[in-house]
Amino acid sequence: MDAGTTSGNRGLAIEQPLIFEQDTKGATAVDLPAVPHVRERLGGMKNTASIGLPGMSEPEAVRHYTRLSQRNYSIDTGFYPLGSCTMKHNPRLNEKMARLPGFAEVHPFQPLSTVQGALELIDTTAHWLKELTGMAAVAMSPAAGAHGELCGLMCIRAAHEAAGNGNRKIVLVPESAHGTNPATAALCGYTVEAVPATADGHVDLAALKQKLGSHIAAVMITNPNTCGLFEKECVAIAEAVHAVGAFFYMDGANYNAIVGRLRIADLGVDAMHINLHKTFSTPHGGGGPGAGPTVLSAKLAPFAPVPQVIKAGDRYDALEHAQSPRAPQAFGRMKGYHGQFGVFVRALAYMMAMGADGLRQASGDAVLNANYIMARLSESLTPAFAGPCMHECVFDDRFLKGTGVSTLDFAKALIDEGFHPPTMYFPLVVHGALLVEPTETESKASLDQFIATVLALAAKAKTGTAAADFQAAPRFTPRRRLDETKAARKPVLRWKPAAESAPKTNGASSPRQAAE
Amino acid sequence: MRYLPLSEPNRRDMLAAIGVNKIEELFRDLPAGPLASARFNLPNSASEIEVERALSAMAAKNLDCAKAPAFLGAGNYRHHTPASLDYLIQRGEFLTAYTPYQPEISQGTLQAIFEYQSQVALITGMEVANASMYDGATACAEAVAMAARVTKRSAALMSGQVHPHYRDVTTTSMRFLDVDVECLAPDPYEIEDLIGRVHSEHACVVVQTPGFFGSLKDYTALANACHEAGALLVVCVTEPVSLGLLKPPGQQGADIVVGEGQSLAGPMSFGGPGVGLFATREKFLRQMPGRIAGETTDEDGRRGWVLTLSTREQHIRREKATSNICTNSGLIALAFTIHMTLLGEAGFTNLASLNHARAVQLAERLEKVSGVRVLQSGFFNEFTVELPKPAMGVVEELARRGILGGVPVSRFYPTYPELADLLLLTATETNTEAEMDALAVALKEVL
Amino acid sequence: MANVTLRYTKEHEWIRIEGNEAVVGITDYAQSQLGDVVFVEVPAAGKELTAGGEAAVVESVKAASEVYAPVSGTVVEGNTALPDKPETVNSDPTGAGWFFKVRLANPKELDGLMDQAAYDKFVAELGG
């Protein structure tokens, strides 16, 4: 499909070459003070070769990244009905607070007396997480949800070893679990066995009890689960797990459904990671950074990794060394410095803004929004399980049967309509799954527009004559159905000079190239 | 409640459409007892003004490096970031975007990642880089795990010049994977012999440049020794600005280079979030953890980018994944690549030269203070001094005088009394000669 | 064509027996489920295989799979042309897309495998 213009641009959709294709030798957007004359002391390690980095002026650089940003969808742009991701609004107050010089311009190894406010920030954020979950302790340092899972499992393994039960080698994980669960268990040296689900989308308690024994180290359950349902038997599961001396790990990815309503400790959980970039509004940033603090029961608390912040009177102190007198059983260290401090500031700003009542309202609205979508879309789509759902609902592809339209095609058509598609093909236990999580920060008008669009697309698919149309989607995006097979078969993972690489066909040629 | 758009009429309409009377009915699957008894000893919602007031008060309790001359390093560095950088990363389409799993509507993120990967490969002198990891310390652990997979060996050797946090994070995770990491004693005096210790059961040897104490060393001979023993050489870089002036690890024979990108990506932020650089050789590509962006074409033959080689990752391989990592440090990697673009080759090399010059100026002044000895003959922007008394107390005294004068080594090595007199000092382009004079004067008084 | 038989495993490998050696690959059903194959790894000659153990790797854009050894034995030859042209697994899974040749250690193991009719029925029941 030709752009239909000379430049290859289409209105505000402007083509932008790579920085390497805009290079001007010697150009820079950063003027620095003159380098003083000194006698160099580089130990013979001075580099004499050129590196090959491109350079340009400030206006060119600003334009480059501005144009790049305009090719991105984002929460600020529109709705992300992404199940399990909790794409809620990212308040800018969080950003402003993180940039206060007293938070941004402090070095992790200043004398502790000069960073009492930073330690207080970490401790206060930890306090909120402990209060909300009712848990005894929290390990603040994991950098992401998967990292928090690892923290939880490492505490569990350390606890078993300390009690002489190091021969427990197996972790039970539901078939519906997110891929990080078994990957994490493997990283901890465990073997994973699957726990089947019942037909109505819950963990099969009877099957689980059959598998439990003194060889089981832990059970990892997501609750609400990846099918968007609350595990009703959660307390019974915890009791059965504890009865065989194993630990109960809960994946907290879906915590947004129950935050401010239920204390995790009351479910018998031993460890749960919390995704600050999901439930607590810190921005996704195109793939990170996040934070995955892990709340711990009293039994697991002694094994929490360093660093830890502790309060004595009104002074804050940092425990930075594992197996030291004040952290004798800490299993080690998972992250450099003090953890994702900048993410804590953002999360705490959000927690303070929302308060206990706001968080309760948030989980209520999140569940309300998801059920509203489920009720309205069920007119035409096929929900995989009976309602009510929690904060997300899952549909299977029965509604597309015989239409020639796949879940993937349906999602690409949604892109043309200005929506990011829902999570697709996950959980694996649902065929052709579409997992929809609206979050509480979508207005009713936004939901109604999404619902109307999805129903219209479903109706179009069901005519049975529209498959070609769906397969041609998306039509209106800067790029259409990129070839992932080619990318994997012949990986091109960095820029190489033109002589080495295949001819480029991205429309616009840079004026600089044309002039050469 | 400013972040919650639903009104009461909205809620009533929606409840009616669902067929229930109250939101609480939707929570019917939750256990009744815990639901009823849940109490949270937390304040209720607060206005922006109140939140700002509370957090500003907390921030004011810190002595920040914009207010006091600071000479702090130890893996985290204070540099100037150009004004444009912060505005660009706060564009909503970058800040609030999701992981680019739908490439058609994520070309901004994907192109930036591709450019980032290219820049990281160039500055490290390696062949391929991933889209980043959480931080330098976890990247180091991932590198050792990768070396174990590649060589099918389960032992590693780590230099005493590696950052203690990188060491601790690595030994913690390797213990759970049954990989035995032998860590040599801290090496401020550059006496360790790695070449003599590497053998054919090692998956890798891990070193750092510049070393934790500031040392510069050519690792070419060590790389050869490793390769003869069938082991990989892993090189950590905690200060990537050094790559603007020093021979890159790739040129010295490194197989994997990891590092911390914070110093180029933005403010220190009390040590996090950072961004883990990770680069390796093409032959090891399929064992490299983390996300990767690759170039391809679309339906119309136009060039674009996608996340690729996903089958290494957890969402497909599950328990066979190369790692459990589910994220890169997206926004920080973006900041890194934007800054590198703003600098360009000329700016980057200039910045590095300026850093070294400042460090030399600092060293020259401190050498004139009686009792102070600079340990390294070669360094980049950080070095170790030996004082005539314990450094911890000296640093506290300097702080009382309003100067953040370095990081005492004993902060990292509390069980090594022989290192108690050692102090790590850094100078960057943010330090002026006047500040250095003030430090020298204060140090003289304190000693 | 005496002594040539074709058998199948539940993991969708085919095995074509020629005397006391056999050729192994994945079925057309398997390649269609995987999608475009982007990467393969074949075993080296001399490698010892156990029935049901991992023998090779096949990856598509969205899935990664082990190819299991249908029988125990020693690898005679891996298809070294395949890693450079992984798309052959899609275009010719039962011919040029073969993965490896193995010398059988225990021909009795073949008795436990499905014949063409049984495999066709198995696939039909999968809804494929």
Side-chain angles (χ1 to χ4, degrees):
Chain A
M1 199 179 1
D2 191 350
T5 59
T6 308
S7 61
N9 300 329
R10 305 189 86 196
L12 278 177
I14 301 180
E15 292 291 320
Q16 187 65 5
L18 290 164
I19 49 176
F20 299 89
E21 295 158 341
Q22 303 169 63
D23 176 41
T24 300
K25 273 238 154 354
T28 182
V30 181
D31 294 322
L32 291 165
V35 179
H37 259 98
V38 297
R39 195 176 55 84
E40 284 181 345
R41 305 190 199 188
L42 290 169
M45 291 303 292
K46 188 168 182 177
N47 184 27
T48 46
S50 98
I51 302 170
L53 292 167
M56 59 187 73
S57 66
E58 185 180 295
E60 291 168 290
V62 169
R63 191 167 287 170
H64 179 81
Y65 289 103
T66 301
R67 287 177 176 173
L68 256 48
S69 76
Q70 289 168 333
R71 320 194 102 189
N72 265 6
Y73 194 85
S74 65
I75 297 177
D76 283 0
T77 312
F79 182 24
Y80 269 97
L82 276 173
S84 270
C85 295
T86 313
M87 298 297 286
K88 65 172 75 180
H89 170 68
N90 304 144
R92 288 312 191 278
L93 178 64
N94 301 356
E95 299 304 311
K96 187 175 178 187
M97 297 296 93
R99 285 165 169 81
L100 290 170
F103 290 142
E105 296 280 358
V106 283
H107 186 281
F109 303 122
Q110 295 180 206
L112 294 180
S113 59
T114 65
V115 291
Q116 288 291 297
L119 298 174
E120 182 182 345
L121 187 299
I122 299 176
D123 189 63
T124 309
T125 310
H127 171 75
W128 275 77
L129 294 175
K130 285 186 289 188
E131 263 303 307
L132 285 169
T133 58
M135 299 290 276
V138 56
M140 292 298 287
S141 58
H147 214 210
E149 285 175 34
L150 191 57
C151 180
L153 282 196
M154 285 181 170
C155 285
I156 287 171
R157 184 163 159 179
H160 279 309
E161 284 173 358
N165 292 328
N167 57 333
R168 292 178 181 245
K169 294 266 187 262
I170 300 181
V171 169
L172 298 177
V173 178
E175 297 165 333
S176 57
H178 193 277
T180 55
N181 289 178
T184 300
L187 279 179
C188 231
Y190 286 120
T191 329
V192 172
E193 272 181 28
V195 179
T198 57
D200 67 353
H202 296 91
V203 165
D204 188 334
L205 178 59
L208 173 64
K209 282 181 169 167
Q210 290 245 313
K211 288 193 169 244
L212 283 172
S214 59
H215 56 300
I216 301 294
V219 173
M220 294 175 86
I221 303 283
T222 309
N223 193 15
N225 65 28
T226 58
C227 301
L229 305 168
F230 191 84
E231 292 285 0
K232 291 178 276 206
E233 305 277 19
C234 192
V235 175
I237 291 173
E239 283 168 2
V241 170
H242 291 147
V244 299
F247 288 101
F248 183 11
Y249 182 86
M250 187 179 284
D251 181 324
N254 293 327
Y255 184 47
N256 202 47
I258 54 179
V259 63
R261 290 191 178 255
L262 193 67
R263 293 166 7 127
I264 298 300
D266 293 341
L267 299 177
V269 172
D270 291 297
M272 181 181 92
H273 78 270
I274 297 173
N275 302 66
L276 295 186
H277 49 288
K278 292 185 181 184
T279 319
F280 294 101
S281 89
T282 71
H284 278 80
T294 303
V295 288
L296 301 165
S297 62
K299 272 216 169 108
L300 291 180
F303 305 97
V306 291
Q308 298 169 19
V309 173
I310 54 174
K311 196 172 177 190
D314 57 2
R315 298 291 296 166
Y316 291 95
D317 202 352
L319 300 186
E320 299 181 320
H321 303 278
Q323 283 112 53
S324 60
R326 285 185 298 172
Q329 290 183 297
F331 73 71
R333 175 180 273 276
M334 297 192 79
K335 178 102 183 24
Y337 320 118
H338 298 284
Q340 306 284 72
F341 181 79
V343 181
F344 302 153
V345 181
R346 290 168 171 86
L348 184 59
Y350 174 77
M351 290 174 194
M352 287 175 151
M354 294 294 281
D357 56 342
L359 290 171
R360 182 190 164 82
Q361 189 65 69
S363 58
D365 284 354
V367 169
L368 178 64
N369 280 358
N371 277 281
Y372 178 63
I373 286 188
M374 182 171 171
R376 295 279 318 273
L377 286 184
S378 296
E379 273 173 41
S380 182
L381 272 60
T382 42
F385 306 102
C389 60
M390 289 270 89
H391 64 311
E392 61 189 4
C393 53
V394 60
F395 302 91
D396 58 38
D397 59 1
R398 277 177 291 164
F399 77 103
L400 290 173
K401 201 174 168 103
T403 62
V405 178
S406 69
T407 299
L408 179 71
D409 297 329
F410 198 82
K412 298 299 184 188
L414 259 176
I415 290 177
D416 269 341
E417 298 280 346
F419 292 97
H420 191 284
T423 302
M424 300 184 296
Y425 302 110
F426 179 81
L428 300 173
V429 296
V430 173
H431 201 273
L434 278 168
L435 184 63
V436 180
E437 177 185 357
T439 84
E440 72 281 8
T441 60
E442 288 306 311
S443 67
K444 183 169 180 294
S446 169
L447 297 181
D448 285 337
Q449 191 191 42
F450 176 71
I451 288 163
T453 306
V454 170
L455 290 176
L457 286 176
K460 183 172 165 187
K462 287 181 183 182
T463 61
T465 55
D469 251 9
F470 279 86
Q471 281 148 20
R475 283 184 192 74
F476 305 121
T477 45
R479 292 294 178 267
R480 309 172 50 226
R481 299 244 186 177
L482 289 140
D483 190 342
E484 303 198 6
T485 300
K486 176 172 163 179
R489 279 187 184 154
K490 297 271 179 280
V492 175
L493 307 175
R494 61 181 283 189
W495 177 83
K496 295 209 166 89
E500 293 175 43
S501 52
K504 290 176 245 319
T505 52
N506 74 332
S509 57
S510 80
R512 200 164 291 125
Q513 281 177 346
E516 274 159 18
Chain B
M1 248 277 96
R2 53 193 177 282
Y3 304 148
L4 302 177
L6 294 184
S7 64
E8 275 312 311
N10 287 155
R11 293 190 182 104
R12 277 197 297 273
D13 289 345
M14 292 161 77
L15 288 167
I18 295 165
V20 296
N21 295 318
K22 296 185 297 176
I23 288 181
E24 282 70 16
E25 290 178 52
L26 300 171
F27 287 93
R28 68 179 79 132
D29 284 352
L30 273 59
L35 199 54
S37 68
R39 296 276 179 279
F40 306 99
N41 190 11
L42 291 167
N44 278 339
S45 59
S47 65
E48 257 198 46
I49 299 175
E50 291 163 304
V51 174
E52 275 201 48
R53 191 174 295 141
L55 289 177
S56 298
M58 225 184 264
K61 294 179 188 172
N62 297 325
L63 177 64
D64 66 73
C65 298
K67 293 197 183 60
F71 300 89
L72 305 164
N76 206 264
Y77 301 90
R78 181 161 190 259
H79 289 285
H80 173 79
T81 43
S84 337
L85 175 54
D86 204 32
Y87 282 95
L88 289 168
I89 63 169
Q90 287 196 80
R91 288 185 70 86
E93 302 95 322
F94 282 137
L95 183 73
T96 72
Y98 183 59
T99 310
Y101 288 130
Q102 295 290 348
E104 290 99 334
I105 47 179
S106 320
Q107 287 299 292
T109 295
L110 287 163
Q111 182 172 341
I113 293 177
F114 184 78
E115 292 171 346
Y116 162 88
Q117 287 169 188
S118 307
Q119 289 165 325
V120 171
L122 283 171
I123 63 176
T124 56
M126 302 298 281
E127 290 164 7
V128 63
N130 71 13
S132 77
M133 318 223 72
Y134 305 137
D135 70 351
T138 53
C140 179
E142 295 272 5
V144 174
M146 175 174 157
R149 283 194 299 274
V150 168
T151 61
K152 298 189 171 43
R153 299 176 180 179
S154 53
L157 180 64
M158 186 175 283
S159 158
Q161 284 277 350
V162 172
H163 193 296
H165 285 190
Y166 289 43
R167 179 200 67 203
D168 290 346
V169 170
T170 302
T171 54
T172 299
S173 49
M174 289 310 106
R175 195 174 88 239
F176 289 94
L177 292 178
D178 291 322
V179 173
D180 180 46
V181 184
E182 184 192 352
C183 301
L184 300 185
D187 189 42
Y189 302 101
E190 299 177 31
I191 57 175
E192 75 184 4
D193 167 30
L194 291 167
I195 293 180
R197 299 176 90 112
V198 60
H199 58 63
S200 59
E201 274 166 44
H202 284 133
C204 63
V205 176
V206 185
V207 298
Q208 179 170 317
T209 178
F212 177 69
F213 299 97
S215 312
L216 297 180
K217 203 165 161 180
D218 191 327
Y219 287 114
T220 309
L222 176 61
N224 291 334
C226 285
H227 297 147
E228 264 169 46
L232 303 187
L233 179 63
V234 174
V235 179
C236 303
V237 180
T238 61
E239 170 52 302
V241 177
S242 68
L243 298 172
L245 193 54
L246 303 176
K247 228 164 100 173
Q251 248 181 61
Q252 299 173 49
D255 297 291
I256 306 174
V257 178
V258 296
E260 177 54 64
Q262 170 274 320
S263 74
L264 281 166
M268 300 168 292
S269 196
F270 203 51
V275 57
L277 312 177
F278 197 110
T280 188
R281 306 227 167 261
E282 273 204 41
K283 62 183 175 185
F284 302 129
L285 176 57
R286 292 204 126 74
Q287 290 304 322
M288 180 167 73
R291 294 202 177 117
I292 315 180
E295 191 174 290
T296 186
T297 48
D298 80 339
E299 291 261 295
D300 301 321
R302 307 182 114 196
R303 178 178 68 177
W305 294 273
V306 293
L307 290 180
T308 190
L309 301 181
S310 316
T311 48
R312 299 155 307 115
E313 296 183 69
Q314 47 71 27
H315 60 286
I316 292 174
R317 303 257 24 202
R318 297 171 74 88
E319 60 261 37
K320 299 227 171 90
T322 50
S323 165
N324 76 336
I325 195 167
C326 192
T327 146
N328 61 333
S329 199
L331 197 70
I332 317 296
L334 178 67
F336 183 95
T337 185
I338 293 178
H339 195 185
M340 291 299 294
T341 300
L342 290 168
L343 284 168
E345 176 121 355
F348 186 51
T349 52
N350 213 10
L351 178 65
S353 298
L354 184 51
N355 268 258
H356 180 64
R358 289 277 182 247
V360 170
Q361 288 177 322
L362 179 64
E364 285 170 351
R365 279 162 175 75
L366 295 181
E367 281 164 337
K368 296 197 179 92
V369 178
S370 163
V372 175
R373 180 166 83 97
V374 173
L375 294 189
Q376 285 79 21
S377 55
F379 51 81
F380 173 62
N381 65 2
E382 182 168 28
F383 51 82
T384 306
V385 296
E386 196 175 65
L387 302 173
K389 51 156 73 153
M392 192 75 94
V394 170
V395 164
E396 299 276 355
E397 270 300 308
L398 290 171
R400 270 190 275 277
R401 286 166 165 74
I403 298 179
L404 295 166
V407 184
V409 167
S410 53
R411 178 90 181 251
F412 296 93
Y413 292 106
T415 57
Y416 286 81
E418 68 271 31
L419 302 180
D421 296 349
L422 300 185
L423 179 66
L424 291 175
L425 284 159
T426 303
T428 72
E429 77 285 359
T430 61
N431 297 108
T432 63
E433 290 189 78
E435 288 179 345
M436 296 180 207
D437 290 334
L439 173 63
V441 164
L443 196 54
K444 211 161 164 185
E445 285 172 17
V446 168
L447 287 180
Chain C
M1 291 260 268
N3 290 343
V4 175
T5 26
L6 199 47
R7 290 283 182 268
Y8 298 87
T9 68
K10 285 208 163 73
E11 280 77 32
H12 308 285
E13 288 100 16
W14 54 261
I15 174 167
R16 191 169 65 240
I17 299 100
E18 292 160 2
N20 75 337
E21 283 187 7
V23 187
V24 177
I26 67 171
T27 64
D28 186 55
Y29 174 78
Q31 71 79 18
S32 70
Q33 289 292 300
L34 274 173
D36 292 341
V37 174
V38 300
F39 176 73
V40 300
E41 228 172 47
V42 298
K47 178 155 184 195
E48 295 295 329
L49 301 176
T50 336
E54 290 171 24
V57 174
V58 59
E59 286 182 20
S60 68
V61 169
K62 57 175 185 158
S65 239
E66 270 66 45
V67 177
Y68 299 98
V71 293
S72 312
T74 318
V75 176
V76 171
E77 190 190 342
N79 185 352
T80 48
L82 203 56
D84 285 329
K85 295 206 80 194
E87 55 269 29
T88 317
V89 177
N90 297 116
S91 59
D92 193 6
T94 55
W98 63 277
F99 275 71
F100 60 91
K101 293 188 175 139
V102 59
R103 184 171 306 114
L104 277 69
N106 183 2
K108 281 213 161 46
E109 287 170 338
L110 295 169
D111 296 344
L113 303 178
M114 291 179 273
D115 64 10
Q116 187 73 58
Y119 181 67
D120 290 342
K121 182 162 182 272
F122 175 64
V123 168
E125 277 162 9
L126 288 172

